[in-house]
Amino acid sequence: MTSHIPIIAIDGPSASGKGTVAKLIAKKLGFHYLDSGSIYRTIGYAAHMQNIPLNNEALLLKVLENIDLSFKNDQILLDSKDISEAIRTEKSGQGASEVAVHKALREAILGFQRNFEKSPGLVAEGRDMTSVVFPHAEIKIFLTASVQIRAERRYKQLISKGNPVNIHSVLNEIVLRDKRDLQRALSPLLKTKDAIEIDTDKLSISDAVDNIAHLFSLRYQTS
Ligand code: DC
């Protein structure tokens, strides 16, 4: 019998804070961390570099076959080049969302994502962590916030990095991405029946982290 590996799976819409929260919980518990969105972002980025249209699944699969994607500490490496910052733009988020509608592509990266399930445990975040990739996770969180709050957060984040954006276009892009991620036929963003919803509109990041860590400790003390 294989030993049990605890998994905390966190899904939620764009700019809900799930990346920051998931990373902090992983650090707190000493667990591995999977940022699944960065895989879709990297495929979109690599396709863009090769002038490959994001609606061409066959070519995107070739891109995927030929890329060497790895995570090292906080860096995302594409063929040994650090692309962590390059894939954080709003444009690459939209690109990732377009890439993410393809069935064979999603299936092709399932194994890669599941390889992160390693001792002593995993915190995985994205859109289908609770529903498709790790349906057996013992803690499932749906992290959300209103679209206005998410747009404000994303706006401040982009401005602080020196990107000249305006709040209306940021809000429109979030609405567009929500729509695509929620309405797509395959593995759409959804709150599974067994997921606990945490609304971060009025909750600080550290409170969200504490809540989830508390849920985890309750589960592990009683099992
Ligand atoms: O979490 P993020 O903003 O980095 O994700 C970028 C896009 O990738 C998101 O809009 C949809 C897609 N995605 C997905 O389809 N499934 C995941 N598990 C993670 C991200």
Side-chain angles (χ1 to χ4, degrees):
M1 207 177 117
T2 52
S3 63
H4 178 72
I5 297 171
I7 301 179
I8 299 177
I10 305 178
D11 285 326
S14 163
S16 56
K18 63 190 186 312
T20 313
V21 168
K23 223 182 263 181
L24 288 168
I25 298 167
K27 202 167 257 177
K28 195 173 174 121
L29 299 174
F31 282 9
H32 298 279
Y33 166 60
L34 170 63
D35 164 10
S36 60
S38 68
I39 303 170
Y40 295 94
R41 286 173 182 264
T42 302
I43 299 167
Y45 175 86
H48 176 70
M49 292 312 220
Q50 296 169 46
N51 284 321
I52 287 170
L54 302 183
N55 59 4
N56 189 327
E57 185 173 27
L59 288 181
L60 289 177
L61 280 167
K62 286 254 174 311
V63 170
L64 181 63
E65 256 171 47
N66 295 313
I67 59 175
D68 174 15
L69 166 66
S70 58
F71 297 85
K72 196 173 166 201
N73 304 321
D74 270 351
Q75 292 182 339
I76 295 154
L77 304 175
L78 172 62
D79 302 326
S80 314
K81 186 178 151 219
D82 181 7
I83 55 156
S84 326
E85 281 298 314
I87 59 165
R88 283 297 136 208
T89 62
E90 202 39 44
K91 188 164 173 268
S92 85
Q94 295 294 346
S97 177
E98 287 175 49
V99 161
V101 302
H102 301 297
K103 185 171 194 271
L105 197 91
R106 295 195 77 89
E107 281 168 2
I109 62 171
L110 262 182
F112 181 78
Q113 296 175 95
R114 288 184 176 147
N115 280 339
F116 282 77
E117 183 176 346
K118 282 186 293 206
S119 184
L122 171 67
V123 182
E125 52 106 345
R127 303 293 184 290
D128 62 346
M129 299 295 99
T130 56
S131 55
V132 176
V133 184
F134 301 111
H136 53 297
E138 38 279 290
I139 305 279
K140 296 187 182 182
I141 305 291
F142 188 76
L143 201 74
T144 188
S146 66
V147 69
Q148 286 80 8
I149 294 281
R150 290 187 283 126
E152 271 169 39
R153 283 185 194 149
R154 179 56 50 84
Y155 172 75
K156 283 184 191 152
Q157 199 181 46
L158 291 168
I159 289 287
S160 73
K161 287 187 179 165
N163 295 303
V165 285
N166 80 61
I167 184 83
H168 301 294
S169 62
V170 172
L171 189 118
N172 288 340
E173 285 182 346
I174 287 188
V175 169
L176 187 72
R177 191 128 73 93
D178 278 359
K179 197 170 165 211
R180 199 186 288 114
D181 294 345
L182 286 159
Q183 294 182 356
R184 69 178 179 224
L186 290 160
S187 314
L189 170 64
L190 54 86
K191 179 177 170 256
T192 57
K193 275 195 193 125
D194 48 357
I196 295 164
E197 181 165 335
I198 298 183
D199 185 332
T200 63
D201 263 15
K202 294 191 186 79
L203 203 66
S204 69
I205 291 289
S206 70
D207 285 344
V209 169
D210 289 347
N211 284 359
I212 298 170
H214 181 63
L215 284 171
F216 180 77
S217 70
L218 285 180
R219 182 69 51 93
Y220 272 79
Q221 271 161 20
T222 51
S223 62

